Amino acid sequence: MTVGQLSQVDKGFLEQMEDAGRRYAGRTGEREGHREALEQHGILYADTRERVSSRLNRLGVDWAMAAAIERTPATATTGTSLDLDRELVSTDLLTLERFMGRNDLIGIDYLEGGYLAARSVGRITVRNPGSSHQGTGFLVSPSLLMTNNHVLGSAEEAAAGVVEFNFQAGLDGLPLVPVVFQLDPQSFFVTHRDLDFTVVAVSARSRDGQPLASFGRLPLKEARGKAVIGELVNIIQHPNGEPKQLALRDNQIVDVLDDYLHYSADTAHGSSGAPVLNDQWEVVALHHAGAPRKDRDGNVLAIDGTPWQPSMGEHRVDWKANEGVRVSRVLGAIQQVPLSGAAAALRAELFAVGSSLHPVEVTPPTVLTDRTNGTAPQSATMDGSGGQHATPGSVRWSVPLHISVSLDADAPQPPAPSPAAGPVQRATTPSYVGLPAGIGSIDGQSPAERDLAAAMVNLAAFSSRPYFDEAADRVARDAYYAGIHVGNPTSLRLALTEHLESTHERRPAYKPMRLLYPFVDLHPDEKLRSIYSGQDFTPQELIEADAAVEAARIGRWQEFMLHESAPGPEAIEAQLDLLEASLPFNCEHVVPQSWFAKKEPMRGDLHHLFACEPPCNSFRGNIPYFDFPDFNEVVMEGCGRREPGKFEPSKGKGPVARATLYFLLRYPGEIGDEARELQRTGLELLLNWHKDHPVDLYEQHRNAAIAEMQGNRNPLIDHPEWAEEIDFAGAWP
């Protein structure tokens, strides 16, 4: 970086350095405890038992063997005096001994892995009128690059930036020809000041026409066990904007914080944004700042012992230790950003890549994203308080899945042209989310591919149908309620409950992309609208976004099963819950799943499923509905207002009220038995919303379409007047 006057970039780095220094100073006692444990007991005892166990599991090593080696003095020839079966454990033992600092030998494949990892690291240069600065960045998906917020703090800054790969010396010592790619914040830009990360799209082709895919990527993984205190890590970097260099295995992790790692490393200015990697070349942190040495007056010291000034350049700072942002925290923050369309697809692609079982990928699939249709860009900035700001756009895109669209035994068949002509064939593929055994491919297609294919078949079939046939639906409605009599509130409730259950003949699994998005939840303009915010989407957008999310879930489930030895039911359930929370579909259960323990058929019942973007979904969570008397401002723009234990949506009050009332009739006694669920006192609110927001054409269409698919109907849509005739209070436990 050219350091003259204190630029915004300089200010950003100085703030990060000061924050890192305070965190480092506040952990002196903990670090000293880690150091003593390393010296007296070894690497197995410097970190928590849980973290060390996860690390050993990831390495495929038994704790007992590791503990035995740690207790045994090392020898000069083998690294241990244990009498072990070398034929059985030679490779694993070498890995373990190296991990524990007992042996400097390393397999030759280590160099190949490092070479491949380095391919994905490039030098970022931003040139603005009168100034320029540089940093390091690395590819984390086929289209996205990660660096620091203080390197690329805004989409405007990124638009003036490029990334250069191969800015390094070749085997002959001569410089290679750099390959320069323009950054593309119009397609994707997400940044976070406190966690000091930025993720930005990169042009698919370099200035001279070379493909970005040839430089691979370093997937980001949330999996536990990537590194522990005392372990040595590697940093691939462009210090001071110089050709690519490597700080190799001379960088020890000295502390683990909630959001950060502290480690000693030979990094310098210009290394901001570099990947911190373990010996398996997995990214464990994003390097961003350091703790500087200071004199008694609090002045930052230069490496020659004099007070440091910004004009000297950041590479002259005398660092005590360096700090990196933990990958799991970065991924968690990215997942919370409200995105849609092409940007949401690119994010899903990042998480799908992150589920890979290989730490370095150099032959990614072709990216089919269309970034040239002139639609509005989408970017997001997150501040330290959790505030999120998004500029939505609508673009055409496809996810990188190979799809052969065909009808099969599990795909719903195209429906007949009339809503009253008969039901759609039920989608019977079991949801892998609840059935881990069901995630294998069939006929070369993964579950995500098969669901996407079935959804696209349905979308094409439904596109030729009338939106709503009022005359046919009137006939179907009258026939459905024949024999149901009004007069006694309790008798009416019991009769409807029995009828709704007995006619609920077809019970599709929870796969909103197959049935909800292609037809059920469409509005008259053939768009989907978020039930809480009203933001609209095309059916294809949400179908493909959910397919990408499903592919990412499957990959992360496979990785979990690979690295967990015989997980018990509780561990499996916890992992499945984590997958759903971190990779949500664009769908809302207006009666939250936690209220009925995610049981079927409630989970897949289309009557209470609505399109909803993940940020609004998570904003509501499982909070009961509430009617604020002064509802004139919102906590999160567009979704509604939320206070502890209370949520009022901006949109959709009539539909969510009628869907919840349906649930009470269809599943009496299932909800309302805990304080955080819908209580009897909430009934008046639902009835008021039902009255104040009458049934419209959209809900009539939904009801007819769901009746076709499930067999049962929502009485509150067909007969709104019955709301005053039904004893809903009897539906509580």
Side-chain angles (χ1 to χ4, degrees):
M1 180 185 296
T2 300
V3 181
Q5 294 183 339
L6 207 58
S7 66
Q8 284 299 113
V9 177
D10 294 326
K11 291 178 181 178
F13 182 80
L14 290 175
E15 291 174 359
Q16 294 294 343
M17 180 174 65
E18 287 300 314
D19 290 343
R22 283 192 291 270
R23 283 189 288 268
Y24 187 80
R27 297 280 296 182
T28 301
E30 288 84 352
R31 273 195 318 280
E32 182 61 25
H34 301 331
R35 185 189 63 78
E36 291 180 1
L38 282 170
E39 291 178 353
Q40 297 179 15
H41 306 290
I43 195 171
L44 298 183
Y45 305 97
D47 212 325
T48 67
R49 177 66 179 262
E50 180 183 10
R51 285 177 49 81
V52 174
S53 295
S54 295
R55 183 67 178 130
L56 292 176
N57 286 341
R58 197 163 183 83
L59 293 172
V61 175
D62 179 73
W63 174 279
M65 178 188 291
I69 292 175
E70 195 70 272
R71 290 193 300 267
T72 306
T75 67
T77 56
T78 68
T80 178
S81 62
L82 285 178
D83 183 15
L84 296 170
D85 188 338
R86 293 288 166 171
E87 181 179 355
L88 293 178
V89 300
S90 58
T91 301
D92 290 341
L93 184 59
L94 181 61
T95 299
L96 178 58
E97 290 175 335
R98 187 170 71 248
F99 160 72
M100 298 170 64
R102 305 292 294 270
N103 196 326
D104 290 332
L105 291 175
I106 198 165
I108 198 65
D109 60 309
Y110 179 77
L111 297 179
E112 183 177 0
Y115 168 77
L116 294 176
R119 292 271 298 163
S120 304
V121 179
R123 181 179 72 167
I124 295 172
T125 301
V126 177
R127 289 189 174 88
N128 289 309
S131 67
S132 68
H133 65 270
Q134 293 171 325
T136 302
F138 57 102
L139 295 170
V140 294
S141 85
S143 307
L144 302 179
L145 176 128
M146 177 172 287
T147 187
N148 292 139
N149 167 271
H150 75 261
V151 173
L152 297 176
S154 67
E156 292 74 20
E157 192 170 33
V162 298
V163 58
E164 301 170 84
F165 298 103
N166 281 355
F167 183 59
Q168 63 192 71
L171 292 175
D172 56 5
L174 299 177
L176 300 177
V177 177
V179 183
V180 183
F181 293 81
Q182 189 71 40
L183 301 181
D184 182 17
Q186 290 288 315
S187 294
F188 190 98
F189 185 87
V190 170
T191 193
H192 192 295
R193 187 273 172 202
D194 278 8
L195 292 180
D196 197 20
F197 75 79
T198 290
V199 179
V200 61
V202 182
S203 296
R205 293 276 174 178
S206 67
R207 289 176 175 175
D208 60 357
Q210 297 188 50
L212 183 67
S214 63
F215 292 94
R217 67 267 198 171
L218 289 167
L220 304 182
K221 303 178 181 181
E222 290 181 289
R224 296 174 297 173
K226 293 188 292 293
V228 295
I229 293 170
E231 193 165 356
L232 301 178
V233 290
N234 311 288
I235 303 175
I236 304 172
Q237 57 194 292
H238 284 278
N240 309 312
E242 298 170 2
K244 191 182 300 176
Q245 298 171 38
L246 171 64
L248 181 65
R249 301 196 84 243
D250 190 27
N251 321 291
Q252 188 175 50
I253 296 175
V254 296
D255 199 8
V256 177
L257 289 71
D258 288 343
D259 296 334
Y260 305 95
L261 296 180
H262 288 157
Y263 44 90
S264 58
D266 297 326
T267 55
H269 161 61
S271 301
S272 294
V276 181
L277 305 120
N278 62 18
D279 272 352
Q280 290 70 50
W281 301 105
E282 296 173 308
V283 182
V284 300
L286 169 68
H287 177 69
H288 84 126
R293 298 189 190 280
K294 294 185 177 182
D295 61 20
R296 293 181 179 178
D297 297 325
N299 298 311
V300 175
L301 294 175
I303 55 177
D304 61 1
T306 63
W308 175 83
Q309 299 293 330
S311 59
M312 296 179 179
E314 295 167 20
H315 63 288
R316 300 287 295 173
V317 174
D318 184 11
W319 300 108
K320 291 189 293 186
N322 282 321
E323 183 177 79
V325 186
R326 295 176 62 180
V327 164
S328 58
R329 301 305 185 262
V330 172
L331 289 173
I334 293 173
Q335 187 61 53
Q336 294 303 311
V337 179
L339 299 174
S340 62
L346 291 177
R347 173 172 60 187
E349 186 179 280
L350 183 154
F351 278 88
V353 169
S355 67
S356 165
L357 304 182
H358 304 287
V360 181
E361 298 185 9
V362 293
T363 55
T366 301
V367 180
L368 302 177
T369 304
D370 181 359
R371 303 179 186 166
T372 60
N373 62 354
T375 52
Q378 185 168 106
S379 62
T381 300
M382 302 178 65
D383 57 36
S385 64
Q388 304 174 15
H389 316 282
T391 305
S394 176
V395 294
R396 180 175 63 82
W397 54 275
S398 300
V399 295
L401 297 173
H402 303 291
I403 301 299
S404 298
V405 179
S406 62
L407 293 173
D408 56 47
D410 292 332
Q413 304 296 321
S418 169
V424 176
Q425 179 175 325
R426 173 183 168 194
T428 57
T429 300
S431 171
Y432 78 89
V433 172
L435 298 171
I439 67 170
S441 62
I442 302 175
D443 298 329
Q445 284 190 322
S446 72
E449 291 172 326
R450 289 166 64 80
D451 284 337
L452 179 54
M456 297 308 290
V457 167
N458 282 352
L459 182 61
F462 286 128
S463 65
S464 62
R465 298 195 53 187
Y467 181 72
F468 178 64
D469 187 332
E470 183 177 6
D473 187 61
R474 186 182 305 113
V475 172
R477 181 194 63 194
D478 292 345
Y480 184 79
Y481 295 104
I484 301 294
H485 302 289
V486 179
N488 184 300
T490 300
S491 297
L492 178 58
R493 172 179 59 80
L494 294 173
L496 287 173
T497 293
E498 189 281 328
H499 194 51
L500 292 176
E501 180 178 6
S502 64
T503 57
H504 194 171
E505 299 169 348
R506 297 168 296 280
R507 303 179 180 186
Y510 174 55
K511 290 288 181 71
M513 77 176 84
R514 284 194 175 216
L515 300 176
L516 188 70
Y517 306 151
F519 192 58
V520 165
D521 209 32
L522 290 184
H523 284 256
D525 61 358
E526 298 184 353
K527 294 288 186 65
L528 297 168
R529 287 195 177 84
S530 167
I531 188 62
Y532 294 148
S533 72
Q535 182 177 349
D536 59 32
F537 307 90
T538 67
Q540 186 172 347
E541 277 185 295
L542 297 197
I543 289 169
E544 293 180 331
D546 275 18
V549 167
E550 185 175 15
R553 287 186 183 184
I554 292 171
R556 285 166 63 180
W557 173 260
Q558 290 171 331
E559 183 179 11
F560 168 77
M561 294 302 293
L562 179 67
H563 294 293
E564 294 291 333
S565 56
E570 292 184 0
I572 289 176
E573 183 177 357
Q575 180 65 16
L576 295 174
D577 288 342
L578 175 63
L579 289 179
E580 288 202 48
S582 61
L583 290 168
F585 290 141
N586 290 273
C587 181
E588 164 75 339
H589 291 79
V590 298
V591 177
Q593 295 188 70
S594 63
W595 293 6
F596 54 84
K598 298 184 179 180
K599 294 184 294 185
E600 296 288 5
M602 292 84 87
R603 191 164 184 259
D605 192 328
L606 293 163
H607 280 295
H608 78 125
L609 301 185
F610 293 83
C612 183
E613 67 275 41
C616 282
N617 192 325
S618 62
F619 181 70
R620 186 259 172 123
N622 63 356
I623 300 174
Y625 294 121
F626 188 79
D627 206 334
F628 292 98
D630 58 342
F631 185 31
N632 54 15
E633 62 180 56
V634 295
V635 177
M636 180 177 179
E637 184 176 356
C639 299
R641 178 173 176 177
R642 183 183 70 182
E643 292 182 4
K646 304 172 182 178
F647 170 72
E648 182 174 354
S650 292
K651 307 286 184 181
K653 293 178 182 177
V656 303
R658 283 179 281 275
T660 307
L661 293 171
Y662 158 85
F663 194 98
L664 288 171
L665 291 175
R666 172 64 183 86
Y667 307 105
E670 286 289 344
I671 60 173
D673 54 345
E674 295 188 25
R676 65 175 179 271
E677 297 179 3
L678 177 67
Q679 299 293 296
R680 285 182 173 84
T681 54
L683 177 59
E684 183 179 358
L685 174 146
L686 296 176
L687 293 173
N688 286 338
W689 284 1
H690 166 69
K691 179 180 179 181
D692 294 341
H693 303 275
V695 174
D696 58 12
L697 180 61
Y698 158 67
E699 281 189 276
Q700 290 176 321
H701 153 80
R702 266 184 60 97
N703 197 32
I706 296 171
E708 226 183 305
M709 296 171 185
Q710 292 189 179
N712 63 356
R713 303 176 67 96
N714 186 338
L716 284 307
I717 294 173
D718 290 325
H719 290 284
E721 72 279 7
W722 285 2
E724 302 297 330
E725 302 288 339
I726 300 171
D727 170 32
F728 285 105
W732 266 269

